Amino acid sequence: MIENQVEQIEKLTDQLNEFRHYEQLFGDPGSVLLSTVQPLLDDLKKSELGQTLNSLESSINTSDAML
């Protein structure tokens, strides 16, 4: 069991060192501001087409609609 934990720690250490190497080569990924992020976020906040239709249908009084 202890050997497995040591192996996991070694693998995590290797992954961390690999990430640090990429960070040195390419910079901090958290500091990259993509111009496409805001439009994507705006699209995610829009209501779905079906949702709008459902809300319209639910607001219609069916007895008035038949007249």
Side-chain angles (χ1 to χ4, degrees), residues 16-58:
L16 179 60
N17 289 333
E18 186 177 351
F19 175 77
R20 286 181 178 159
H21 176 69
Y22 284 129
E23 189 176 27
Q24 288 174 349
L25 291 174
F26 301 109
D28 180 16
S31 67
V32 176
L33 180 60
L34 300 175
S35 61
T36 58
V37 171
Q38 192 59 46
L40 291 174
L41 289 174
D42 293 341
D43 282 346
L44 288 173
K45 291 178 183 177
K46 290 181 182 176
S47 64
E48 293 294 322
L49 197 58
Q51 182 181 2
T52 304
L53 181 58
N54 287 338
S55 65
L56 286 173
E57 288 175 343
S58 66

